[in-house]
Amino acid sequence: MKKLYTALLAGTAMAFIGLQGVATAAPTGWPDGCSNFRAPVGGGWVATCSNSNGGHFKATVICQAWDGGGLINVDAVGWSSGNPSFVSCPPHTSVKSGGILTRSY
């Protein structure tokens, strides 16, 4: 009987906690005015956005191994909200294509 009472008490407490309002974060937007292109030097890819709207972006590149091996996908380490993002291919590879990744936070 004591276990049942404890379970009912715990269930009631959880119900009250569950009925509390949920806090929401301020809305943020996706970056816009974005472009990406092959870096003129450095064997990599560059991504830029003119307005972050509270979001972030980063460059990504697909590299081809010189020895005919598979493709290697490399993303920039950090997310950017204003400065251009750059990512380079590892040694003994060439840029095949690239792009930009965006997020709203």
Side-chain angles (χ1 to χ4, degrees), residues 31 34-36 45-49 56-61 74-81 83-87 99-103:
C34 299
S35 64
N36 63 91
W45 208 261
V46 178
T48 62
C49 292
H56 294 85
F57 62 91
K58 67 179 173 178
T60 183
V61 67
V74 184
D75 295 342
V77 176
W79 291 92
S80 178
S81 61
N83 295 329
S85 175
F86 174 77
V87 63
I100 184 170
L101 301 172
T102 60
R103 70 179 189 189

Side-chain angles (χ1 to χ4, degrees), residues 15-82:
F16 283 115
I17 291 171
L19 295 176
Q20 300 290 330
V22 177
T24 56
T28 59
W30 293 87
D32 62 12
C34 299
S35 64
N36 63 91
F37 52 91
R38 186 182 189 141
V41 293
W45 208 261
V46 178
T48 62
C49 292
S50 61
N51 187 1
S52 73
N53 292 322
H56 294 85
F57 62 91
K58 67 179 173 178
T60 183
V61 67
I62 299 172
C63 309
Q64 175 72 55
W66 291 347
D67 63 4
L71 299 175
I72 302 165
N73 187 17
V74 184
D75 295 342
V77 176
W79 291 92
S80 178
S81 61

